[in-house]
Amino acid sequence: MATGTVRSLHRWPVKSLGGEEVDALRIDRRGAGGDRAQAIVGTFGGEQRRLTVRQAPRMLGWTAAYPRAPGPALDPDAPPLPEVTAPDGRVYRWDDAALPGALRDDLARPVELRRDLALMPDLPDSLLVTVEASRAAAEEALGRAIDLRRFRPNIHVTLDAPAFAEEGWMGRRLRVGDAQLELLHPCERCAIPTRDPDTHEKWPQLLRWLAAEHDTLFGINARALHPATIRVGDAVQLH
């Protein structure tokens, strides 16, 4: 049985924008409270779809946070509207009438804003768990620092398990503080982690290495079995 601790916690209020590191998360079966509760929608391929960094890399220059609901203060059933910070430092509330125009001008496409408290992760009703040993092993193999933000986890843990051991954890359970997580399947990565979260520069070698060495997998998807609050430093046990 592997054991360890929660190293860091993250929520991403607006899908594909930068997010925030927090000291605690309230979770339920939908995922982390407020995580990806908002999205930016554009038209591409003749359809209206949620925009991601793949269509608009400049989204990485924008960040979103819930400054009025730090850590466990955020109620998953009633998260406040996030604040969105533009690359030039201007701050907008999600309901600011100027925000769609500012996004349109920066992303060079018309956009709409969406909010859905059912949450909008790529895999419905899920959290993403990443493991420090795997991040460090990839960093060592590639000889370059790897910012965890590339992978957009919710829960980042340190465990006494080998790097990439999570590839074999499907169907097991992870106890995180008082929470019980059902481990679903390893997360197959797209090209988004190849973009530097600060410079937006592409680094295709990262995805090529993951493809060659780990079938393009990094991290593992999970689902909370009941509502709970998890905190940085909480004990973690793999069952």
Side-chain angles (χ1 to χ4, degrees):
M1 179 177 68
T3 61
T5 59
V6 175
R7 188 180 182 98
S8 60
L9 297 168
H10 309 261
R11 61 190 180 196
W12 311 87
V14 181
K15 186 174 178 65
S16 275
L17 301 194
E20 58 181 344
E21 186 170 343
V22 294
D23 60 359
L25 282 177
R26 288 175 63 180
I27 64 172
D28 61 22
R29 193 168 178 82
R30 292 169 292 187
D35 184 66
R36 297 171 174 89
Q38 289 76 214
I40 299 166
V41 175
T43 300
F44 54 98
E47 297 180 6
Q48 269 207 330
R49 289 186 280 175
R50 296 192 294 262
L51 285 176
T52 73
V53 172
R54 280 174 288 188
Q55 296 86 35
R58 287 190 60 84
M59 292 176 78
L60 287 172
W62 294 73
T63 60
Y66 295 110
R68 291 179 300 283
L74 188 143
D75 180 353
D77 291 322
L81 294 175
E83 290 186 359
V84 177
T85 302
D88 63 6
R90 286 180 295 172
V91 178
Y92 302 86
R93 270 180 53 96
W94 187 250
D95 59 353
D96 190 327
L99 178 56
L103 285 163
R104 177 201 61 217
D105 293 345
D106 189 58
L107 304 181
R109 63 173 71 221
V111 300
E112 295 180 13
L113 308 185
R114 295 277 172 85
R115 179 170 165 92
D116 185 351
L117 299 190
L119 308 185
M120 294 176 278
D122 291 336
L123 179 67
D125 299 333
S126 69
L127 298 151
L128 179 61
V129 179
T130 54
V131 182
E132 174 60 16
S134 302
R135 188 207 63 80
E139 189 172 82
E140 182 176 1
L142 288 162
R144 176 170 166 177
I146 297 179
D147 193 315
L148 181 65
R149 291 177 296 163
R150 289 179 180 270
F151 300 107
R152 297 177 171 261
N154 298 116
I155 305 168
H156 187 58
V157 301
T158 298
L159 284 173
D160 54 0
F164 292 95
E166 62 271 25
E167 292 174 10
W169 293 349
M170 185 170 63
R172 299 180 70 176
R173 291 191 178 183
L174 196 69
R175 185 175 183 88
V176 183
D178 295 329
Q180 289 278 358
L181 305 182
E182 175 190 7
L183 296 177
L184 303 175
H185 51 75
C187 183
E188 184 174 356
R189 312 310 304 216
C190 63
I192 289 175
T194 66
R195 292 278 183 180
D196 185 283
D198 293 320
T199 68
H200 316 164
E201 177 188 0
K202 285 197 77 173
W203 182 33
Q205 291 85 351
L206 173 58
L207 194 61
R208 290 175 192 154
W209 183 83
L210 285 174
E213 300 294 332
H214 296 283
D215 294 328
T216 325
L217 304 175
F218 190 91
I220 188 164
N221 296 298
R223 182 167 292 138
L225 297 178
H226 56 80
T229 298
I230 57 178
R231 293 176 170 81
V232 172
D234 275 354
V236 178
Q237 291 184 332
L238 176 68
H239 298 278

